[in-house]
Amino acid sequence: MPTSWNDTLQIDRYLANKMKPGDALIFEAWLLLQPELADKLQWQQKTYTLIQGYGRRQLKQEIDAVHRQLFTEPKHQRFSHKIKALFNL
Amino acid sequence: MIIATAVTHIYKQYGMSNLNHSVAQRQELFIALYKTAFPSVAKYVSRLGGSADEAKDVFQDALVIYYEKMVAKLLPEKDIAYLVGISKNLWLQRYRETNKQTPLDNFDISITVEETPADKRLLRLLTTAGKKCMDLLKSFYYDKLPVTELADNFGYSGSRSVTVQKHKCLEKVRETVKQKSLTYADFME
């Protein structure tokens, strides 16, 4: 593997489909030849999944806070009444 | 009409020149989307005999899908019809037994991420021990903020230093994920 090659960055580009097809093929060959690289790829992929999960969790909390705000603050009363009326609440 | 204007205003803020996804701006966006789209969703759910909680549940998940498509630039501006459409489909799929076979058109409604107890534990560790790194990585990979803005939000001198830091964080988190996953796996056996 070329010394200038940064594993983390290359894995990042490969997983994001940002490599040219030729480069991706070469990268896949390296994955077969170098178990450490394949190992790093596996954990980096898992890291992205966890970041995605973290992002969604944070976003859901933000959305839920907006919901509470809309249904409790007096300035949004017209809106909340309109919704509640639909469900006879 | 006022709400439509608010949505336009927010989309302008999300435009190419000034992509700012700070918490406050997301909040403003979600309030506008709630006011524009939620009444239609609630009306639909109530007409079909669903509850207020069900309407809330599907609408909030639809907002997550909408947001992810928006930051990935896969949505035309102000696609309220899309947001309402996903909500309705989610409700039919989840709460209407008889409609289990309803084709879901082109809506991609995969929202649930399966998290194992070990994953939850790992995420808890990562967000307590290295919150700044996780927040930086989340802003880049999930919220898809441009690096110039990450530099502003996280107090780095410029794009170069924030890129270096992001890289370090990714390597650090990847190593933690590896070590802890292996430890937890041992523990489970």
Side-chain angles (χ1 to χ4, degrees), chain A residues 6 8-9 12 39-40 43-44 46-48 50-52 54-60 62-64 66-67 69-71 76 79 82-83 86-87 89, chain B residues 26-27 31 34-35 42-43 46 50-52 56 60-61 63 67-68 111 113 115 119 122-123 127 131 135 141-142 167 170-171 173-174 177-178 181:
Chain A
N6 179 294
T8 309
L9 201 63
D12 191 73
D39 185 66
K40 277 185 189 170
W43 296 113
Q44 200 157 317
K46 170 122 188 165
T47 302
Y48 294 141
L50 287 165
I51 294 166
Q52 168 87 0
Y54 178 56
R56 276 194 174 166
R57 192 177 296 184
Q58 298 277 97
L59 194 76
K60 282 184 178 181
E62 287 177 25
I63 292 171
D64 209 42
V66 163
H67 186 96
Q69 202 180 329
L70 287 170
F71 285 88
H76 301 299
F79 171 79
K82 188 166 131 191
I83 301 295
L86 290 169
F87 296 96
L89 295 172
Chain B
R26 274 198 295 267
Q27 185 187 45
I31 288 175
Y34 242 101
K35 291 203 168 170
K43 207 174 282 174
S46 89
S51 69
K56 173 191 170 185
Q60 294 202 346
D61 280 353
L63 280 176
Y67 176 79
E68 288 179 3
I111 177 88
V113 182
E115 276 179 345
D119 284 350
L122 187 53
L123 203 52
T127 49
K131 192 167 189 311
D135 284 338
Y141 290 104
Y142 187 75
H167 190 80
L170 186 57
E171 290 189 334
V173 173
R174 186 187 64 205
V177 169
K178 178 182 173 173
S181 297

Side-chain angles (χ1 to χ4, degrees), chain B residues 162-175:
Chain B
V162 83
T163 304
V164 170
Q165 189 54 40
K166 189 204 100 197
H167 190 80
K168 282 185 187 162
C169 280
L170 186 57
E171 290 189 334
K172 191 182 124 192
V173 173
R174 186 187 64 205
E175 284 319 300

Side-chain angles (χ1 to χ4, degrees), chain A residues 6-22:
Chain A
N6 179 294
D7 288 355
T8 309
L9 201 63
Q10 296 306 323
I11 294 170
D12 191 73
R13 297 191 58 229
Y14 177 73
L15 291 176
N17 286 321
K18 281 181 186 160
M19 274 186 183
K20 288 178 195 153

Side-chain angles (χ1 to χ4, degrees), chain B residues 83-123:
Chain B
L83 179 60
V84 173
I86 321 170
S87 307
K88 288 178 178 177
N89 275 288
L90 281 174
W91 187 84
L92 287 174
Q93 198 193 40
R94 281 184 199 168
Y95 299 107
R96 200 163 195 192
E97 296 291 328
T98 51
N99 267 47
K100 278 256 152 63
Q101 303 308 318
T102 305
L104 293 165
D105 303 329
N106 295 318
F107 293 112
D108 170 17
I109 54 173
S110 49
I111 177 88
T112 43
V113 182
E114 287 300 317
E115 276 179 345
T116 63
D119 284 350
K120 279 186 187 143
R121 212 169 133 189
L122 187 53
L123 203 52

